[in-house]
Amino acid sequence: MRLGPFILRRLGLSIFVLFGLSILIFIIARIVPGDPARMALGPRAPVEVVERLRQQMNLDKPLPQQYVLWLWGVVHGDLGNSLVSRRPVAQDIREFFPATLELVAVTAVLIASLGISLGVLSARYANTWLDSIIRLLSYLGIVTPAFAWAVILVLLFGFVWHFFPTYGRLTEGTVPPPMITGMYTVDSLLTGQPAKFWDAFVHLLLPAIALALPPMSQAARITRSSMADNQSKDYVASMIAYGVPHRVVVGKYLLKPSLISPITVMAMDIAATFGYAFMVEKIFGYPGLARYGIQVMLNKDVNAIVGVVMVLGIVFVTLNIVVDIVVAYLDPRIRLLGRSS
């Protein structure tokens, strides 16, 4: 299997995709009505002060020149300053992105493990009461958005059961672990603080469950459908006819080809979670990048908008490449094409 040239081609295409995305979002962020400098300083700020800020942000220059200056700064690690936080955008992203990455990582584990497991279980016991319950719960999960699940969980665990915390990343008054990765659970383990690891983990559970329920339900439905389609294939019928145990047929021969569609959909759902997590982060008071992104968009913080969107674009591109590699491993036809190329 020749994955090396394939990965290099995908990386080359991804660079062009990100370059095009940067141009598009840069233009959109600047042509949307409203003066960023005026919005940042307020309606009572003197005209000369507003004009000085516009000059500092290069907003007084032609749009192509603005983009070239911004791109030159990006090449040197400078995304500009945020009008909301008054700090460099790169510093804001370093602070907020690990929180969302940690949240999405736990969400991804829930989606992959429970979504596939429920789908396999539903297919294994197709047309039984267990299959009917799983399918019903899957449809309920799909039609209910993540923010609605977040509200339900906050009401249940904030006012009824009190099993899990419903606000923030750590218990109020707890000092965060020394920053290594920015993810509290990882940093707590690396610095030998199991109590803080558990505190950060239980704070992650409810928002992760709220984010995971819709895509997890979708993954279960697609896994069941894919396995049902593959069960009708001749090779499966032949193995069953030859007396191969059903668990071996399912685990070794049926599951692998059936995972191609669910994995592709799950990867896109996980990537999308970085963008639509803002409502869940807002409800749970979770200081992540999605919540920060909505805040800067509402204030037309042009530098921060472009920075956040580019980070999300890199996430999408990276997950696309990972999915292509996984699918190439799962699908022998792609590996044969790789050999013949």
Side-chain angles (χ1 to χ4, degrees):
M1 178 175 59
R2 299 173 55 193
L3 281 179
F6 169 75
I7 295 173
L8 290 176
R9 286 196 300 270
R10 289 306 311 269
L11 287 174
L13 290 173
S14 299
I15 292 174
F16 284 104
V17 169
L18 292 175
F19 181 70
L21 176 63
S22 69
I23 295 175
L24 180 63
I25 192 60
F26 188 90
I27 294 174
I28 292 176
R30 279 159 174 77
I31 65 174
V32 171
D35 185 352
R38 172 60 69 184
M39 294 177 68
L41 296 174
R44 297 184 179 181
V47 176
E48 58 272 14
V49 176
V50 175
E51 188 59 31
R52 191 180 308 121
L53 179 59
R54 295 186 79 255
Q55 292 175 0
Q56 292 173 1
M57 297 176 62
N58 297 318
L59 295 175
D60 59 327
K61 295 179 174 58
L63 197 58
Q65 187 177 354
Q66 291 183 42
Y67 178 77
V68 171
L69 291 172
W70 174 83
L71 189 61
W72 179 257
V74 171
V75 172
H76 292 81
D78 181 15
L79 295 174
N81 293 324
S82 168
L83 298 176
V84 173
S85 65
R86 310 291 181 179
R87 300 185 303 180
V89 172
Q91 181 180 344
D92 286 344
I93 291 175
R94 283 194 299 269
E95 177 179 335
F96 294 116
F97 179 70
T100 297
L101 179 61
E102 185 177 37
L103 175 60
V104 174
V106 176
T107 301
V109 171
L110 293 175
I111 294 171
S113 59
L114 295 180
I116 293 176
S117 298
L118 289 174
V120 171
L121 193 63
S122 181
R124 173 67 178 82
Y125 297 98
N127 302 318
T128 64
W129 64 270
L130 182 59
D131 177 35
S132 299
I133 291 176
I134 293 175
R135 294 173 66 183
L136 177 63
L137 293 177
S138 296
Y139 285 120
L140 179 63
I142 292 172
V143 300
T144 308
F147 72 86
W149 288 118
V151 173
I152 293 171
L153 292 175
V154 167
L155 292 175
L156 289 177
F157 290 94
F159 298 96
V160 181
W161 293 329
H162 305 285
F163 291 158
F164 297 104
T166 58
Y167 192 85
R169 295 183 71 187
L170 289 171
T171 301
E172 187 176 358
T174 302
V175 178
M179 183 172 178
I180 301 175
T181 65
M183 295 182 284
Y184 287 175
T185 53
V186 177
D187 292 348
S188 298
L189 291 177
L190 292 177
T191 55
Q193 302 180 66
K196 286 185 181 178
F197 164 79
W198 182 250
D199 190 21
F201 180 72
V202 295
H203 277 80
L204 277 171
L205 275 181
L206 291 185
I209 290 172
L211 284 172
L213 280 171
M216 182 180 72
S217 303
Q218 179 83 326
R221 187 185 67 83
I222 294 175
T223 301
R224 182 197 182 280
S225 176
S226 183
M227 290 192 69
D229 289 341
N230 286 324
Q231 278 178 343
S232 63
K233 300 292 178 64
D234 292 339
Y235 75 93
V236 175
S238 299
M239 283 187 290
I240 294 176
Y242 277 109
V244 179
H246 194 272
R247 60 180 179 82
V248 176
V249 174
V250 172
K252 190 174 182 180
Y253 300 103
L254 183 58
L255 183 59
K256 183 181 285 190
S258 299
L259 285 179
I260 296 174
S261 296
I263 285 177
T264 303
V265 173
M266 281 191 299
M268 294 302 97
D269 284 338
I270 292 168
T273 301
F274 281 91
Y276 68 70
F278 68 94
M279 284 295 294
V280 173
E281 290 184 350
K282 184 70 174 178
I283 292 170
F284 285 98
Y286 193 85
L289 184 69
R291 181 182 176 187
Y292 169 77
I294 291 299
Q295 185 180 7
V296 299
M297 288 179 187
L298 293 176
N299 289 275
K300 203 186 177 184
D301 189 345
V302 290
N303 290 331
I305 291 172
V306 177
V308 170
V309 173
M310 290 306 301
V311 169
L312 297 181
I314 292 171
V315 169
F316 267 93
V317 166
T318 303
L319 283 176
N320 263 303
I321 294 175
V322 171
V323 167
D324 287 338
I325 295 173
V326 173
V327 170
Y329 170 75
L330 292 175
D331 193 342
R333 293 169 297 181
I334 295 179
R335 283 183 275 176
L336 290 174
L337 288 174
R339 288 195 186 100
S340 62
S341 62

